[in-house]
């Protein structure tokens, strides 16, 4: 996994951490969070992942819980610190006009990192979002596309492309239109958000950037776009 993507996912994991002192073996919230933590740590360092899992496995033992919590949180923080050193130049990527292949590779890394959902908001989306980027989608990942209702010609071309894609791969892509959107953002699994400087159809044809949104504002940002999505019209 790309260092910048893994770093963003670990930061988001920390932001949504439950109170581990309240851990109970039957707590779904804790079990899901610890499972996600182990999966991400394993992508960073396999040996540390073994130690992480040992701490998780002995969490039900009350006398060991404080040191296990320290081990779990300490491992995640060490992973974040290490990745910050490894990926200082990849967190915020700037692409000059003409860097179309570099942007293509980076965006495909972002898309391929999704395990469950992709939510792309871009007023000027066109058919290239499917042909250039969604080919990197993992088979079980569902996609939502939200674009402006003003781009009638692009919608006219995009709609049959989506229909053919869904015919072949199942109904994995939903698309809606709305007048309220201006930003270009991509949510991965509802906990990582990337901001794009240009519409995907023009990215790196014109100068652009790709950077992760700070985890502390992702939840509010996603809520805003979920509300817009619920009001938007199906295409």
């Amino acid at each position: 996994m790309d260092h910048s993507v893994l770093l963003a996912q670990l930061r988001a994991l920390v932001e949504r951490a439950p109170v581990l002192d309240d851990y109970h073996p039957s707590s779904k919230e804790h079990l899901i969070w610890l499972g996600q933590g182990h999966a991400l740590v394993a992508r960073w360092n396999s040996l540390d992942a073994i130690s992480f899992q040992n701490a998780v496995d002995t969490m039900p033992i009350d006398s060991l819980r404080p040191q296990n919590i320290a081990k779990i949180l300490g491992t995640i923080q060490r992973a974040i610190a290490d990745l910050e050193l490894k990926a200082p130049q990849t967190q915020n990527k700037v692409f000059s006009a003409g860097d179309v292949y570099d942007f293509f590779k980076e965006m495909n890394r972002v898309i391929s990192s999704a395990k469950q959902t992709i939510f792309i908001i871009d007023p000027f989306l066109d058919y290239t979002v499917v042909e250039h980027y969604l080919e990197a989608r993992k088979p079980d990942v569902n996609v939502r596309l939200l674009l402006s209702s003003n781009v009638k010609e692009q919608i006219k071309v995009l709609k049959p492309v989506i229909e053919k894609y869904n015919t072949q791969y199942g109904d994995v892509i939903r698309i809606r239109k709305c007048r309220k959107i201006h930003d270009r953002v991509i949510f991965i699994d509802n906990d990582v958000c990337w901001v794009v400087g240009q519409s995907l159809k023009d990215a790196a044809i014109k100068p652009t950037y790709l950077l992760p949104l700070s985890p502390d504002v992702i939840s509010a940002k996603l809520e805003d776009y979920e509300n817009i999505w619920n009001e938007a019209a199906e295409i």
Side-chain angles (χ1 to χ4, degrees):
M1 182 183 293
D2 184 81
H3 287 156
S4 61
V5 175
L6 183 54
L7 177 59
Q9 291 183 331
L10 282 166
R11 285 173 170 167
L13 183 78
V14 170
E15 288 296 322
R16 64 178 187 276
V19 179
L20 293 179
D21 289 331
D22 296 339
Y23 169 85
H24 188 275
S26 63
S27 169
K28 183 177 179 181
E29 178 187 17
H30 287 89
L31 294 175
I32 290 175
W33 188 86
L34 290 167
Q36 292 172 340
H38 177 263
L40 292 173
V41 169
R43 284 163 175 75
W44 166 64
N45 186 297
S46 58
L47 293 178
D48 280 277
I50 294 172
S51 177
F52 187 100
Q53 188 59 52
N54 287 336
V56 172
D57 290 341
T58 52
M59 278 285 283
I61 303 174
D62 292 344
S63 61
L64 298 179
R65 190 168 302 144
Q67 68 188 60
N68 286 330
I69 292 173
K71 169 68 74 174
I72 289 166
L73 297 179
T75 300
I76 292 173
Q77 290 300 332
R78 285 193 298 109
I80 289 173
D82 182 56
L83 289 166
E84 286 175 340
L85 293 175
K86 290 179 177 177
Q89 301 304 316
T90 59
Q91 291 182 56
N92 303 331
K93 285 188 173 291
V94 178
F95 301 87
S96 301
D99 293 343
V100 289
Y101 184 63
D102 288 343
F103 183 85
F104 171 82
K105 289 193 299 181
E106 194 62 28
M107 183 55 63
N108 273 270
R109 287 193 188 101
V110 170
I111 296 299
S112 66
S113 71
K115 297 179 178 62
Q116 296 178 317
T117 61
I118 299 167
F119 186 12
I120 300 176
I121 298 95
D122 184 337
F124 303 105
L125 279 176
D126 66 4
Y127 71 95
T128 59
V129 69
V130 177
E131 296 187 357
H132 293 178
Y133 306 118
L134 293 184
E135 289 299 307
R137 178 191 67 89
K138 289 186 174 66
D140 295 330
V141 174
N142 290 312
V143 181
R144 289 185 292 168
L145 304 177
L146 181 62
L147 71 163
S148 172
S149 55
N150 295 322
V151 289
K152 296 180 181 179
E153 288 302 315
Q154 288 163 212
I155 291 173
K156 184 178 179 180
V157 176
L158 177 59
K159 184 178 179 181
V161 173
I162 298 297
E163 290 173 346
K164 287 181 173 61
Y165 190 98
N166 283 340
T167 297
Q168 180 166 337
Y169 295 106
D171 292 328
V172 295
I173 301 179
R174 298 173 63 195
I175 180 170
R176 293 186 180 184
K177 59 183 180 179
C178 179
R179 294 181 182 274
K180 294 182 179 180
I181 60 171
H182 305 283
D183 298 332
R184 295 158 298 276
V185 295
I186 301 171
F187 292 96
I188 301 295
D189 294 330
N190 291 339
D191 54 34
V192 175
C193 179
W194 296 87
V195 180
V196 188
Q198 291 282 353
S199 175
L200 289 179
K201 73 181 184 66
D202 296 323
I205 296 174
K206 302 175 182 179
T208 193
Y209 56 81
L210 177 66
L211 57 90
L213 194 65
S214 176
D216 61 335
V217 298
I218 290 176
S219 178
K221 190 84 166 175
L222 178 59
E223 183 178 359
D224 288 341
Y225 280 111
E226 289 289 0
N227 290 334
I228 294 174
W229 173 267
N230 290 334
E231 296 174 0
E234 294 276 1
I235 294 178

